[in-house]
Amino acid sequence: MTNTEHIPVLTQELMALLNPVINGVYLDATLGGGGHTRELLKRLGPEGVVIAMDRDEEALERAAIEINDPRVRYVHGSFSDMADKLMAMGYHEIDGVIMDLGLSMTQMKDASRGFSFNSGEPLDMRMDRDLPVTAGEIVSRWSERDIERILREYGEERKALQIAREIVKQRKRERIETCLQLAAIVERVYRKRGRTHPATKTFQALRIAVNDELNQLSEGLSNALKILKQGGRLCVITYHSLEDRIVKRFILAAERQEGTLVRLNKKPIVPLRDEQRRNPSSRSAKLRGAEKL
Ligand SMILES: C[S@@+](CC[C@H](N)C(=O)[O-])C[C@H]1O[C@@H](n2cnc3c(N)ncnc32)[C@H](O)[C@@H]1O
């Protein structure tokens, strides 16, 4: 395994919760490095199907070469319109949906994608190259108020105002084009470094804004509910509190108000200490599952 390869998170726990039926039809809505799809394929029989979706065309191309299995159907697109995509392919009711949110390690480590603060590459951060706005455009064009708002709302950044001010001050002197430039601005505001890089929250906020991640997630969850058959299962892995809150509230509302889902676990499942040690990116992961009624 190279160090840019994505290590799948909570795989055994996810499979136990999904509890695949032998010849079932499943959607892996976040294919990434294909780790979860591979595990699922091991549990499916010859008539089983995995529809493997990702917003990132490069992820799909890589996986299609590596996972050479006739039971996989690859789809480019966002999970926010999974129901339409699946129906167009002739799948009206499926047995399960996996959503493993955020970025893969491969995307994170690919400097040209502009997600990493150690890179001198342009601030891009689009998961899908067809998206209209890059992180660079946000920091160069948006007003101080709007930048502050996304840093606060999507990054839960307590120094949102100071960072937004510093960005606007700096961009009058020079164009802020690279990840390194932005990371340096945030470092100046923070002055000292803790255990995590001070720009972590700023980068998270920009990434969420560029990819409209929270709306995508809400839409994705509603779509999953539409496409699941009775007894079908939805399993979602989140990596920060904003995402987890959306998933938790969605499942609870469906259970208590609409009676359309029932929780498979009341408390989120988190990685064991051993997994966290082997794969530090798994540390913030939370898995929630629900069954369609
Ligand atoms: C954490 S990775 C998934 C890793 C995968 N489960 C594995 O085991 O290799 C998240 C993936 O979801 C994709 N993604 C994020 N948002 C998406 C969306 N709205 N629609 C489809 N794919 C999305 C990203 O491009 C990325 O490849």
Side-chain angles (χ1 to χ4, degrees):
M1 181 176 285
T2 65
N3 68 350
T4 60
E5 232 164 274
H6 183 80
I7 305 171
V9 171
L10 285 168
T11 309
Q12 298 312 320
E13 293 86 345
L14 174 68
M15 291 302 138
L17 212 59
L18 190 66
N19 192 22
V21 291
I22 188 92
N23 283 321
V25 177
Y26 289 87
L27 170 68
D28 181 351
T30 49
L31 171 70
H36 291 148
T37 283
R38 280 191 188 85
E39 268 316 300
L40 189 48
L41 287 168
K42 285 187 204 161
R43 289 164 171 79
L44 294 182
E47 306 299 321
V49 171
V50 179
I51 303 152
M53 172 182 273
D54 206 293
R55 262 180 127 164
D56 181 350
E57 241 166 333
E58 290 165 41
L60 286 159
E61 280 162 18
R62 254 193 317 272
I65 296 168
E66 286 166 11
I67 309 173
N68 188 8
D69 190 309
R71 296 171 297 169
V72 185
R73 319 264 186 276
Y74 293 97
V75 191
H76 178 228
S78 170
F79 52 58
S80 59
D81 33 63
M82 66 170 94
D84 284 347
K85 293 244 174 213
L86 263 63
M87 285 185 199
M89 293 166 78
Y91 298 107
H92 296 270
E93 276 198 327
I94 65 170
D95 297 279
V97 175
I98 300 172
M99 295 165 78
D100 176 19
L101 304 172
L103 286 181
S104 71
M105 202 35 83
T106 317
Q107 291 167 319
M108 200 70 160
K109 294 259 169 85
D110 176 352
S112 74
R113 307 299 297 266
F115 289 113
S116 153
F117 21 75
N118 302 316
S119 120
E121 294 289 327
L123 272 164
D124 189 319
M125 301 199 191
R126 287 169 306 164
M127 287 189 202
D128 183 333
R129 306 262 193 197
D130 293 336
L131 285 169
V133 178
T134 66
E137 280 154 11
I138 293 180
V139 296
S140 355
R141 298 216 193 115
W142 284 25
S143 67
E144 181 183 305
R145 232 169 110 196
D146 286 342
I147 296 176
E148 183 208 343
R149 180 181 53 79
I150 61 163
L151 295 183
R152 202 172 355 91
E153 283 178 17
Y154 300 158
E156 300 184 306
E157 171 56 74
R158 64 191 170 83
K159 290 186 188 269
L161 177 63
Q162 291 104 302
I163 296 170
R165 261 193 202 142
E166 194 59 30
I167 288 172
V168 170
K169 201 166 109 194
Q170 191 60 31
R171 77 185 185 197
K172 289 185 183 141
R173 296 192 195 125
E174 58 171 0
R175 282 178 66 90
I176 307 169
E177 284 173 330
T178 69
C179 301
L180 273 176
Q181 280 175 294
L182 179 63
I185 291 172
V186 183
E187 273 177 308
R188 268 206 301 285
V189 171
Y190 265 90
R191 293 207 181 92
K192 55 178 190 244
R193 272 182 89 141
R195 229 160 52 99
T196 47
H197 193 292
T200 306
K201 291 180 167 175
T202 296
F203 274 62
Q204 174 186 305
L206 284 168
R207 200 195 83 195
I208 292 177
V210 166
N211 297 290
D212 191 25
E213 286 179 39
L214 303 182
N215 287 324
Q216 291 278 320
L217 174 56
S218 301
E219 291 282 308
L221 295 168
S222 310
N223 267 254
L225 195 52
K226 265 192 226 161
I227 203 79
L228 280 174
K229 65 167 67 150
Q230 198 180 6
R233 291 188 166 190
L234 165 66
C235 296
V236 190
I237 302 177
T238 63
Y239 292 88
H240 55 78
S241 54
L242 297 171
E243 287 173 344
D244 186 54
R245 211 173 300 148
I246 293 173
V247 176
K248 182 177 159 184
R249 286 185 183 161
F250 176 85
I251 295 177
L252 264 183
E255 183 177 287
R256 293 193 178 151
Q257 288 154 29
E258 294 140 31
T260 44
L261 284 176
V262 60
R263 279 173 293 175
L264 295 170
N265 53 331
K266 296 229 158 78
K267 287 231 151 69
I269 298 168
V270 297
L272 295 174
R273 215 176 290 154
D274 184 46
E275 175 167 9
Q276 296 190 30
R277 218 176 300 123
R278 275 186 290 109
N279 180 14
S281 342
S282 72
R283 269 190 226 137
S284 55
K286 287 194 171 132
L287 166 63
R288 293 184 189 270
E291 187 172 298
K292 173 119 173 233
L293 292 173

